Each structure stands twice: as C-alpha cells, then as structure tokens.
Amino acid sequence: MKDTALSATHEALGAKMVPFAGYNMPVQYEGVNIEHETVRKAVGVFDVSHMGEFLIEGPNALSLIQKVSSNDASKLEIGNAQYSCLPNDDNGVVDDLIIYKLKEETYLLVVNASNIEKDWNWITSKNDIGAEMRNLSEDYSLLAIQGPKAVEAMQSVTSHDLSAIKFYNFIVGDFAGIENVIISATGYTGSGGFEIYCKNTEVKQVWDKVFEAGADFGIKPIGLAARDTLRLEMGYCLYGNDIDDTTSPIEAGLSWVCKFNKEFTNSEALKAEKERKPERKLVAFKLDERGIPRHGYIIVDAEGQTIGEVTSGTMSPSLNIGIGMGYVSKSFATIDSKIFIQVRKKAIPATVVKPPFYKG
C-alpha cells in the first residue's frame, strides 16, 4: 500500500484511511454530509495525489495524443485543458483523462490512479512514432481546492488573479511560496475552485499555507467519500463504475469528446455506433420514493423485467433524495422515462432526468 506525501498529515487530522487504487487514502474526516456541505457552501481541500501524470513531449507528442485519445487535442492552445478518453480496440474505454498543453510540443496527461500502469502500457504500445514519454506519477502531488469561496480564500497565496482562470484553463506560476506550480480549473465537484500540481517535496508547505489562508473562510479537509457524492450530483462519470473497458464512450454519453474529424483508436467502429444509436445508454435518475440506490442494483421496468443496472448511486446530501446513474435499454433512456430500482425485494420507482442533479 503506497502513501501520498500527505498520508501522515491526514492520519494526524483523524481521517479514516482506506485502501484506494493501491494508495492509503482519507475517505472521510468529520463525515460525508458535513464535508459535502463544506464544498457546496465554503471551501474544502482534497488530497488526490494518487492520480497519475504522464508527460508527452517532442515533435511527435501531438500525433501520439491524437492517435490514442478521442477528443481533438489539436484545438488546444498553451494554457488549455481538455477532457478526453482513451478508447480500446473493443468498443470500451481504457480510461478517461485530462490533457494539458503546457508548451508547444509538451503535454501533461492526468489519468486515474487505478489505471496508471494500464494507461502507461497502453499508450506506450501505440507509440511507434517516437514521442518522448515520462511517467511523473510518483513524484508529483495534486490538491483539489473546491467550493464557492476557493478563489477568495486562496488569492492571498499567489500573485496571479485566480478569478481570471476560466473553466478548463490553467496557468503555471507561484502558489504558497512555491514557483512553477500548475493552477488549473477542471473541477470535479460542480462548486468551483481549482487544482494545484506540485512536487511531493513541496506539497506539505502548500497544504499548510492553504489551510492558513483559508482559516477565515471555513476551510476543511475533505475525503474521497464526499468527492464521490459531489461528482455524482453533477452526473460526472467515475471510471470503474460508470465507464470501463466494456462500456463504449457513445453509450456512456461521451460522444461529445469523440471527434470524428480525425482518426483515433477504434474511431470507425465508434462512429458507426453513434450513427446507428447504441442499444443501451447511461442515464441519470432520481428515486420517486425513499431509498438509496447502490452500484450493482438491478433496474427493471413496470413488469419487473430487467432493463439495466445501477453504476453509481447515493442519497444526495444536497437534495436529500436517492440519485444515481445506470445503463438501461435505449427505449427507457429518454428524459422522464419511468424505471424501477430493485432495492432488496422492493422495486422503487424512479424517473430518468437530465443531469446535473445539483443546479447550484
């Protein structure tokens, strides 16, 4: 089990630590609902240093990224970030990721912690054009400072105007006394804020100064459990739950990151699937009665026939209703469709809705 550079800090704060993607990670401190509300109303800090970072450089860097990723990275300018996915050869998804254009011919790929080795091997297997690749995952830390007060609370620790960083943009500059820090706005919570990429040797200083600066703004450390409820309220996919090696990006609702103006891994098959419409689709739903949907619960129709399965579900802390996502047959995938979630022996009625659940 690996530690992040801040594992001892979390333990000293009384965090409940759990194994996650091979790392010893804080799942909660005070409790999921309290931490969730902190991010929705004030500012909270997640240690997500378990995420992976790959540097792709050289004159063939863009060509490799275009080959393995579904979105069109040629549209990126320096300071832009882009959400994308790595399709496999079998209509599934190797991973979803964020691509940062740091400089001309220099890109940073941020991948999910559980997929670092898999992604590295996959991209390497496609790199027959000599792009330079470096795996920085073991050397860098990542903090997500999230919430409506994040910008105001953190402005004192940088010379840059944090409010000027637009969504899916970033700068490289000073932060908490450290130079050459990546400050990006690619939040996974729906409540604003930004992310800090720095070296493992620097992150404790950053953490301490962040909490010092945020003291008057109600800042708190936040665990991975609240991160999951926050992202689910936004309808954001989680790899391993809502997308994986067996789910196509088209049926997962990610056709918007599949740009068929270029060739990429399995692009012809995915384009054909988009044109003929997939047989099942990932939908968001809310329960019409009291209950909590969970990953793996069966979805049925009014006659009790199985039509799908829940991929993510929870009791929404913001809305106080059961919400979830799951794959259903395409005839049940339209907004306002009535479906039923099999919770133990009871089929609880639910309604297909358009995400996000949380409107802010």
Side-chain angles (χ1 to χ4, degrees):
M1 194 62 57
K2 297 178 183 177
D3 286 329
T4 74
L6 292 171
S7 289
T9 301
H10 303 312
E11 289 169 354
L13 289 168
K16 179 182 178 183
M17 306 293 285
V18 299
F20 184 83
Y23 284 82
N24 189 29
M25 298 296 292
V27 67
Q28 65 181 41
Y29 299 82
E30 293 182 79
V32 178
N33 288 356
I34 294 171
E35 293 168 33
H36 182 108
E37 186 175 353
T38 295
V39 175
R40 286 281 180 249
K41 295 182 177 179
V43 56
V45 185
F46 303 85
D47 176 15
V48 281
S49 301
H50 58 323
M51 299 289 280
E53 294 90 13
F54 304 155
L55 201 64
I56 312 291
E57 297 180 285
N60 293 316
L62 179 59
S63 295
L64 176 59
I65 291 168
Q66 290 288 73
K67 183 179 178 181
V68 299
S69 67
S70 61
N71 211 332
D72 186 359
S74 71
K75 302 293 186 185
L76 288 172
E77 298 180 357
I78 296 170
N80 293 162
Q82 182 184 77
Y83 179 69
S84 190
C85 72
L86 303 174
N88 64 23
D89 293 318
D90 304 307
N91 277 31
V93 178
V94 178
D95 203 1
D96 61 341
L97 74 163
I98 298 177
I99 301 167
Y100 293 81
K101 185 171 183 179
L102 300 178
K103 294 183 282 190
E104 292 300 336
E105 301 185 352
T106 303
Y107 298 83
L108 182 71
L109 276 53
V110 179
V111 303
N112 284 299
S114 56
N115 293 334
I116 292 172
E117 184 178 1
K118 181 178 77 165
D119 292 359
W120 179 262
N121 292 340
W122 176 259
I123 297 170
T124 298
S125 74
K126 301 293 184 181
N127 185 19
D128 55 4
I129 53 177
E132 300 165 35
M133 295 176 57
R134 281 196 287 159
N135 186 350
L136 307 178
S137 306
E138 295 286 337
D139 302 319
Y140 278 78
S141 293
L142 172 57
L143 300 181
I145 305 169
Q146 298 284 291
K149 296 183 181 179
V151 169
E152 185 184 4
M154 293 299 111
Q155 189 56 66
S156 66
V157 299
T158 179
S159 63
H160 299 278
D161 181 2
L162 296 176
S163 65
I165 305 175
K166 296 177 181 177
F167 197 44
Y168 269 79
N169 282 260
F170 69 94
I171 62 169
V172 179
D174 65 281
F175 190 87
I178 306 293
E179 298 295 331
N180 298 315
V181 170
I182 296 175
I183 309 169
S184 74
T186 63
Y188 195 50
T189 65
S191 284
F194 46 91
E195 301 77 45
I196 301 297
Y197 294 84
C198 63
K199 293 177 181 176
N200 290 344
T201 53
E202 301 166 337
V203 72
K204 182 61 165 65
Q205 177 177 320
V206 173
W207 177 275
D208 289 344
K209 288 189 179 294
V210 161
F211 276 86
E212 185 180 321
D216 292 337
F217 298 87
I219 196 167
K220 292 182 179 182
I222 313 296
L224 293 181
R227 188 168 176 81
D228 193 49
T229 56
L230 289 157
R231 70 89 192 169
L232 184 49
E233 286 186 346
M234 298 307 298
Y236 294 152
C237 287
L238 175 65
Y239 194 91
N241 280 43
D242 313 299
I243 50 175
D244 59 32
D245 290 298
T246 69
T247 59
S248 91
I250 306 302
E251 64 187 9
L254 297 178
S255 57
W256 63 279
V257 299
C258 296
K259 300 299 165 55
F260 297 112
N261 60 329
K262 63 159 197 168
E263 286 187 20
F264 57 88
T265 305
N266 205 39
S267 57
E268 285 301 314
L270 293 175
K271 183 179 180 181
E273 182 185 12
K274 182 180 179 181
E275 289 171 351
R276 71 173 181 266
K277 303 286 193 294
E279 289 301 310
R280 63 173 193 165
K281 287 185 70 177
L282 183 67
V283 299
F285 63 84
K286 59 181 181 181
L287 298 190
D288 299 334
E289 297 176 6
R290 199 74 181 165
I292 305 177
R294 300 291 188 195
H295 173 78
Y297 283 10
I298 300 301
I299 304 174
V300 300
D301 62 14
E303 282 71 50
Q305 299 296 310
T306 298
I307 57 169
E309 185 175 308
V310 176
T311 55
S312 290
T314 194
M315 173 63 71
S316 164
S318 299
L319 308 174
N320 199 33
I321 57 172
I323 61 170
M325 298 196 295
Y327 286 93
V328 297
S329 306
K330 62 182 179 181
S331 56
F332 291 90
T334 54
I335 303 302
D336 294 329
S337 291
K338 292 298 179 183
I339 59 176
F340 297 82
I341 314 301
Q342 197 71 46
V343 181
R344 300 183 184 87
K345 294 182 179 180
K346 185 179 181 183
I348 298 180
T351 303
V352 174
V353 297
K354 183 179 180 179
F357 300 97
Y358 176 77
K359 303 294 198 282

